Amino acid sequence: QVQLVESGGGLVQAGGSLRLSCVVFGRTLSSYAMAWFRQAPGKEREFVAADSWSGSSTYHADSMKGRFTISRDNAKNTGYLQMNSLKPEDTAVYYCAAAQRSFGVPQAESQYIYWGQGTQVTVSS
């Protein structure tokens, strides 16, 4: 059984940084493309960033480009989301998700088959 476990969330002031981690258990991370999504209170879950199984291809949502960076270390079975210049509107629960590697760099929720439990990120003004 594949499990994804996120960590690294917390409370940070606007302008600060956080790095989220997502550890994959039960299967090697290189079997999957990975993405980060987020869901703010009262809003739908939205795509943040995704990368290919090797990490060589990435895609970031427009509003996160230049501030957020997705990466991975397949040897550690861990994916990352580096978040810089955080804003109060980045406050949300952040989820990592895994999709079959054949999808490339998928951005649609429906393409992801495994999800973590989420980690809360709160940015104060």
Side-chain angles (χ1 to χ4, degrees), residues 6-81:
E6 301 103 332
S7 62
L11 174 63
V12 63
Q13 288 188 330
S17 298
L18 283 174
R19 188 176 80 156
L20 306 183
S21 298
C22 176
V23 181
V24 177
F25 297 95
R27 194 82 182 267
T28 57
L29 177 59
S30 59
S31 299
Y32 303 103
M34 174 169 278
W36 291 89
F37 292 81
R38 70 183 186 184
Q39 186 166 23
K43 295 187 177 181
E44 293 187 352
R45 189 155 54 187
E46 65 173 335
F47 172 82
V48 174
D51 70 355
S52 61
W53 69 271
S54 65
S56 60
S57 297
T58 63
Y59 184 84
H60 298 77
D62 287 344
S63 60
M64 289 76 164
K65 285 180 182 176
R67 297 192 303 125
F68 292 8
T69 303
I70 190 171
S71 64
R72 64 167 62 201
D73 185 339
N74 281 340
K76 295 183 178 179
N77 251 26
T78 303
Y80 303 99
L81 183 68

